[in-house]
Amino acid sequence: MTPERLFHELLGLGLNWEVIESRFERENGTVCLAIRETDRLWESVRCPADGSRVSCYDHTEALTWRHLNVFEHRCEITCRLPRGKCPQCGHVFRVRPPWEGLSTHFTKEFEAFALLLMREMPVSKVAEVVGETDTRLWRMLFRQVDAAYAEADFSQVCCVGVDEMSVRKGHEYVSVFADLLRKRALFATEGKDHTVWLDFVAALEKHNGHRHALTQVSMDMSPAYQKGVQETCRNAQVVFDKFHVIRHANQAVDEVRRAEVRLGGPGVWEALRRSQWLWRKNPEHLTDQEQARLAKIQQKNLRTAKAYQMRLVLQDIYRSPAVATARRRFRIWCRWVRWVARQQPQNLLRAMVKVAEMIEHHLAGILAHWKWGVTNAFMEGLNSVFSATKRKARGYRSTTHLITMLYFVAGKLRLPQC
Ligand SMILES: [Zn+2]
């Protein structure tokens, strides 16, 4: 068997194409395979406009596709692609070879392999590993994701979660919509005002979903999102899920800490210095060292420790099995927070009182958690998925790059596998 014949078999070229030359270029360590069409090709090529049989018109310049390595050596396929001409309509077109991927520089197999690597590491790292530029890899990813996303089916979507994710710290945001039952990212777009809902509903309906099929929408207590839901999906019940409520409480604890550092008396700054991560954790997740530190801080009777305790109690309400118990405990919690805050000088617990007001104001949606609780777990995970997305898109923080990466990582799209 000649090397050409061997590569022909390995590439699975069939009867329409043949390897006419194979050589190893020692200087750049590249295996080059030259391919050309056989006469048999014209038996199967049809005019894309009217389906007529066509004949060969001419050939393109030599084109190159990166293929999977041969052993550890880079492998490239070159071919002067034939162009067909239709005798009926005169249409001239390039014949698409069976190995070509969605991008013009890579074969299908190479794209599948690069996608596999991209699941595991940042694009810039993949570029380094396979010896390609990251621009080319991104372009490939855009095409793959766009093609797979266009095929995505949203017809079964009924429970949706939405959350804002920051693209750059404190600046730009994207709103991410997720299918809570199938646990996948559905749609993401720039901004966090109510109009993102119009964009989402348009995308939903483009993929066979329907706005009035939405029965549950899980989200933060942002007035913008609430307005968006009211304007677009009349059948959806709004649920303010546990994760968002606790997030507000966490932020409030942090505000209390900062206010106390600013206004507190002697010794406060030393006690609270670099402690913000401590307060975000639950006691069961603290290391021994952190526990010791917390115990020491708590001896000082600080407002921050009080606020932390409030957060823990609030969290515990979510362990209530019945909605009636939860309702009662939320009310008691709000009264307790107000009562404690009134005893404090300088109104240091103001941030916690705001959380109490927010809870009273949104109690119905918060209590809906007890009806829909199970489905909401995905929203919490979405934040870490988004962080992973940012890591993978390292160095390319445009919204388009991030959204494409998000669909790739969390969209459960049908992408080629190798
Ligand atoms: Zn034609």
Side-chain angles (χ1 to χ4, degrees), residues 47 49-52 86 88-91:
C47 170
D50 53 28
S52 313
C86 174
Q88 303 299 320
C89 68
H91 180 56

Side-chain angles (χ1 to χ4, degrees), residues 17 33-37 60-65 77-82 97 99:
W17 305 84
L33 304 174
I35 296 180
R36 117 186 127 192
E37 83 279 14
T60 64
E61 294 295 298
L63 302 172
T64 305
W65 296 262
I77 290 174
T78 55
C79 179
R80 293 186 58 192
L81 286 180
W99 59 83

Side-chain angles (χ1 to χ4, degrees), residues 77-111:
I77 290 174
T78 55
C79 179
R80 293 186 58 192
L81 286 180
R83 298 205 302 160
K85 184 171 183 180
C86 174
Q88 303 299 320
C89 68
H91 180 56
V92 174
F93 62 96
R94 202 192 88 160
V95 174
R96 192 179 164 83
W99 59 83
E100 188 171 60
L102 290 186
S103 54
T104 40
H105 296 291
F106 302 137
T107 64
K108 281 178 185 157
E109 286 78 7
F110 184 84
E111 290 190 347

Side-chain angles (χ1 to χ4, degrees), residues 84 169 173 232 367 377 388 399:
K169 229 182 174 132
Y173 287 90
T232 48
L367 291 171
T399 329

Side-chain angles (χ1 to χ4, degrees), residues 24-26 28-31 66-76:
F24 178 55
E25 289 178 358
R26 199 174 292 275
N28 50 21
T30 303
V31 176
R66 172 81 189 274
H67 191 54
L68 296 175
N69 285 7
V70 175
F71 298 111
E72 73 273 36
H73 302 294
R74 187 184 177 90
C75 174
E76 288 178 355

